[in-house]
């Protein structure tokens, strides 16, 4: 059983930065972030594989967001820079998302979510 605790959201002006954190209890092979904007479906943001340390990003956040992991703390981070109003939403940490044909599908375990609001 994996439990996730995510944190770090807040309110920031466009162009600003935020860092999200997610600490996992239990072993995971991949960690990911998804987000959900008001009135929209939850979407993939980024993922990190424990073996090999590969990273994956949605096109909309590539070169602006960086996902990383501290293995000693079993914590994954999402550093978000050059934030835009369209990045606003609730960000959820997810354990063991899977990639099928270029589409990332979430695993079964979620953090409680953390709100990110980017003002224009």
């Amino acid at each position: 059983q994996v439990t996730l605790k995510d944190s770090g959201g807040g309110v920031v002006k466009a162009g600003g930065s935020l860092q999200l954190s997610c600490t996992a209890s239990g072993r995971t092979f991949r960690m990911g972030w998804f987000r959900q904007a008001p009135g929209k479906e939850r979407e993939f943001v980024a993922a990190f594989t424990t073996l090999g340390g590969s990273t994956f990003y949605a096109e909309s956040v590539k070169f602006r967001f960086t996902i990383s992991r501290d293995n000693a703390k079993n914590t994954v981070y999402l550093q978000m820079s050059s934030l835009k109003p369209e990045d606003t939403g609730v960000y959820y940490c997810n354990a063991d998302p899977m990639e099928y044909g270029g589409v990332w599908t979430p695993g079964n375990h979620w953090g409680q979510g953390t709100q990110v609001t980017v003002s224009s």
Side-chain angles (χ1 to χ4, degrees), residues 17-115:
S17 300
L18 279 175
Q19 185 182 65
L20 307 183
S21 301
C22 174
T23 299
S25 65
R27 184 178 181 180
T28 61
F29 297 97
R30 294 167 300 282
M31 295 287 289
W33 290 94
F34 290 73
R35 68 185 181 188
Q36 187 165 20
K40 295 187 177 182
E41 292 189 357
R42 198 170 296 188
E43 64 176 1
F44 169 76
V45 176
F48 184 98
T49 61
T50 301
L51 293 177
S54 298
T55 57
F56 304 86
Y57 299 95
E59 286 297 322
S60 59
V61 306
K62 198 173 289 186
F63 309 119
R64 299 189 298 121
F65 290 11
T66 302
I67 188 170
S68 61
R69 179 168 176 155
D70 184 332
N71 289 329
K73 297 181 179 180
N74 210 17
T75 297
V76 64
Y77 303 96
L78 185 68
Q79 177 65 43
M80 306 185 293
S81 302
S82 302
L83 283 162
K84 304 176 181 179
E86 51 263 44
D87 294 317
T88 294
V90 180
Y91 283 67
Y92 297 91
C93 180
N94 181 260
D96 293 325
M98 292 290 293
E99 184 266 334
Y100 299 99
V103 177
W104 281 88
T105 302
N108 293 328
H109 302 287
W110 294 95
Q112 77 279 11
T114 184
Q115 175 72 44

